[in-house]
Each structure stands twice: as structure tokens, then as C-alpha cells.
Amino acid sequence: MSRVLVLVGTKKGAFIAESDEERRQWSLRGPYCNHWPIHHFIADPATGALHGAGGNAWFGPAVWTTRDLGETWTHSSQGLAYEAGKDPVAAVWSIAPREGELFAGVEPAGLFRSADGGETFEHIEGLQEHPTRPEWNPGGAGLILHSIVLDQDHPERIWIGISSAGVFYTEDGGRTWEPRNKGTRADFFPEGQNYPEFGQCVHNLVKAPGGGDRLYQQNHCGMYRSEDGGIVWESIEDGLPSSFGFPAGAHPRDPDTLFLIPLNGAEEGRYVPDAKAAVWRTRDGGRTWQDLREGLPQENAYFGVLRQAMATDRLEPAGVYFGTGSGTLYASADEGESWTAIADHLPTISSVETYVID
């Protein structure tokens, strides 16, 4: 019988929620990582290792690693630094594994690669050398590289999301990069300049399953789909209660199914609309949307959900999970039709990922 792990990164360490494949009863353990701020907590299925990306200006950056599901931990910041004269790396905000490599997105925005499972890192300098780099501006959380999308079939292809610089793409492993933001708005720019080449505040970037080039993006200014790897983006926010939100969760098998949690607006409190919680699901690539509310609070729900705090698992039917800024972890074992709170009173939840062990 499969084991399902939900990996939870919080402002005060990492936690692991565990269940069997029925996903009815859950146990929780943690906190791990010495109570560091953990912005992203993931599994590398190829090695079985769990990695936590964390730090801040006080602690500095580090990637924590356990190879025994939390029994013992190591952490390393070796190589997570820019050359002398540049702003220091304050924290690691995102990590992504592929074929024995580990990629790390940091603040201020840059990309690093590890070839030894997180023990040492090297800077992928091409992104910092992009001619637009001097004009990148920080978002509300800083100038952070928060989304890393790896093409599992073509190792040289990578998409990244930066607040507030936009989406960038490389097809040569990071030596050269191009902005891919055509069709995404930047409403905070002066009138007539709302569709710039770069400078958009992308909130989350995910790739649809199936081997194609479909991407989904939740932005400060809308929700979008691209069929061509981000060359052109199309708005899919019609039918949603808001054009503002952070997390997006791709279905593990169906490229037309996507989950997201709109919030009421950038300047309206950044909580679920009308203080009534809902996960919104599309089954047709964003043409229509359905709000899923069973088991979620429908009054006095003044919480938000951060950009990496939503995930799906690969079981059938797919599980869907999200964590709130007020520390509640919700789970659905039926693709969002019904929800259960599986942990309460955690620190602010920064990220949610899953790991299914057969």
C-alpha cells in the first residue's frame, strides 16, 4: 500500500503529514530544520531525499536535506553566493529536482545548480547577465525567483518566474535567457505601458502534464494559459471571482484540469473573497470554472494562501492540498469535491508539496 507524504514548509520549520493511499487518517511530525523559515519543501523521487529551501537575511541561505524521511538532517549553503560586490544571497525560495540535479532559486533573484544532491551549488550566471537585469524591481516579498519549471524530456529547457521581473526561458541550460511575458498585464505600470516585455509580477508558474508546452500562470494581474511554452499568454480569468491570487495546482495527468485559489485583491486584504473559502477548478483549460467549497469554512475565513502552498498528488483520484497563512492544512482525496482540515495551528504555511511512496 502506498504512503502519501504532504511536505509543509512554514515560517518556523518543516513538517510532514503522512497517510496511506486512502488518505482518511493523517499523522503529523515536525518541526524540522531547527525552526528556520522554510520557503519550499520538496521530495526528489529519484533519490528519496527531501530538501527544504530556506533562510532569511538573519540566518542566511541554506538547503536542508534528509535521506531518511526526517530522522536526520544536514544543511548546506556552500556555493550559494554571488561574486564580491553584488548583493548577498539572503534566502533560497524554491528548489526543483531533475536527473540527480537540484536547482535553487534565490533572493535577490538568481538560479543555482547542485550536482551532488544539495551539498554544493554553482551559480548559473546567464540569468544575472541578462540585459534587463538592472531594471528588475522587487515584489512585495522581495526580488525572488520563486518558480522553477524543468522540462523532464529536454534537460536544457527551463522556465523561471521572478517577482517582479516576469517569466524567463532558456533552452541552453541557462547560458542565455529570454523574457516570455507577451499577453500578461502589468496594471501597476502607467497607462499605455501595461503589456511590457518584462516587469510583470508573476506569482506562480506550473507546467501541465502530458509532454506538451502548455503552461499555466497565476499573476498579480490575472490568470493565464500558454500553449507554446510562454511565447504567448491568453487570459483565462473569466468566471473567477478575482484576477488576483497566488497558488496554482496542476493535475498529475489531465492537462485541462487546474486548481487555484483566488484572493479578493492586492489592496483589499488578500484573503479569500467574501471570507468564504473555495478552491476553483477548471476541467477545460480555463474556459470555465467551478468553485469547490464542501468542508471549507464559509464564514469568517480571513486567510490567504501563499504562492507555493498548493499541490496535487499522483494517485487516482488525485489528491489536492493547500495550506493557509493562519496555519491550517487542508486535503481533498477526490480532486476537490470535498475537503478536510488535516492539521491546525501550524506556523504560517509557505509551501505544500507531495511525495507518494509505493
Side-chain angles (χ1 to χ4, degrees):
M1 180 173 286
S2 298
R3 299 167 65 189
V4 181
L5 274 57
V6 180
L7 310 178
V8 185
T10 81
K11 299 297 185 183
K12 297 181 181 180
F15 295 80
I16 300 174
E18 183 170 343
S19 184
D20 61 23
E21 62 191 29
E22 298 297 325
R23 296 164 291 182
R24 293 175 181 169
Q25 302 293 325
W26 293 86
S27 61
L28 182 74
R29 59 185 188 273
Y32 300 114
C33 307
N34 287 358
H35 302 93
W36 274 43
I38 298 299
H39 305 299
H40 200 195
F41 184 26
I42 68 152
D44 182 351
T47 65
L50 311 182
H51 301 283
N56 57 23
W58 176 261
F59 288 99
V63 172
W64 292 76
T65 298
T66 175
R67 304 186 188 281
D68 51 19
L69 301 182
E71 292 295 326
T72 59
W73 292 81
T74 59
H75 72 284
S76 175
S77 58
Q78 187 173 342
L80 289 171
Y82 295 132
E83 56 268 31
K86 290 194 174 183
D87 290 339
V89 174
V92 184
W93 275 85
S94 57
I95 40 179
R98 182 184 60 195
E99 297 295 328
E101 295 181 309
L102 193 66
F103 292 81
V106 306
E107 175 193 2
L111 187 64
F112 290 75
R113 177 194 288 114
S114 173
D116 54 16
E119 295 182 16
T120 62
F121 290 85
E122 61 176 355
H123 183 207
I124 299 176
E125 296 180 356
L127 185 61
Q128 288 279 312
E129 295 170 352
H130 196 272
T132 66
R133 176 63 182 86
E135 300 178 67
W136 296 356
N137 291 305
L143 185 61
I144 60 174
L145 197 163
H146 52 68
S147 294
I148 305 171
V149 176
L150 305 175
D151 190 324
Q152 301 296 332
D153 297 321
H154 304 280
E156 298 295 293
R157 303 176 74 202
I158 306 171
W159 295 263
I160 52 95
I162 300 172
S163 295
S164 292
V167 174
F168 286 76
Y169 168 76
T170 179
E171 59 183 20
D172 57 18
R175 290 183 293 277
T176 61
W177 297 80
E178 63 179 72
R180 289 204 165 177
N181 301 294
K182 185 177 181 180
T184 55
R185 302 191 310 276
D187 293 341
F188 40 82
F189 278 17
E191 187 174 353
Q193 303 177 35
N194 302 130
Y195 289 89
E197 181 185 15
F198 67 96
Q200 288 86 340
C201 189
V202 55
H203 282 175
N204 195 298
L205 181 68
V206 296
K207 194 172 189 296
D213 277 349
R214 178 180 287 184
L215 301 171
Y216 291 104
Q217 176 189 159
Q218 173 66 71
N219 194 286
H220 190 99
C221 306
M223 185 68 200
Y224 301 92
R225 182 188 68 235
S226 174
E227 301 291 356
D228 52 17
I231 296 174
V232 178
W233 293 91
E234 176 185 358
S235 173
I236 56 171
E237 64 198 63
D238 286 350
L240 294 171
S242 168
S243 61
F244 180 88
F246 287 96
H251 191 279
R253 291 172 294 278
D254 181 7
D256 287 332
T257 296
L258 182 77
F259 304 88
L260 60 131
I261 303 175
L263 304 182
N264 63 350
E267 300 177 1
E268 287 77 24
R270 301 189 177 201
Y271 54 81
V272 290
D274 302 318
K276 299 178 180 180
V279 173
W280 291 73
R281 182 183 66 197
T282 179
R283 294 290 201 186
D284 53 17
R287 295 172 182 83
T288 61
W289 295 92
Q290 177 186 7
D291 55 322
L292 308 170
R293 301 178 182 271
E294 184 178 339
L296 297 177
Q298 296 304 294
E299 60 180 4
N300 301 323
Y302 294 98
F303 61 71
V305 181
L306 297 177
R307 71 180 81 246
Q308 290 162 306
M310 188 179 195
T312 59
D313 69 32
R314 61 176 174 80
L315 297 180
E316 177 64 51
V320 190
Y321 309 86
F322 72 92
T324 72
S326 52
T328 301
L329 178 63
Y330 288 97
S332 170
D334 52 15
E335 305 201 355
E337 294 293 335
S338 60
W339 296 89
T340 302
I342 62 173
D344 286 305
H345 313 304
L346 298 179
T348 297
I349 295 174
S350 302
S351 76
V352 175
E353 297 287 356
T354 66
Y355 181 33
V356 177
I357 304 172
D358 294 321

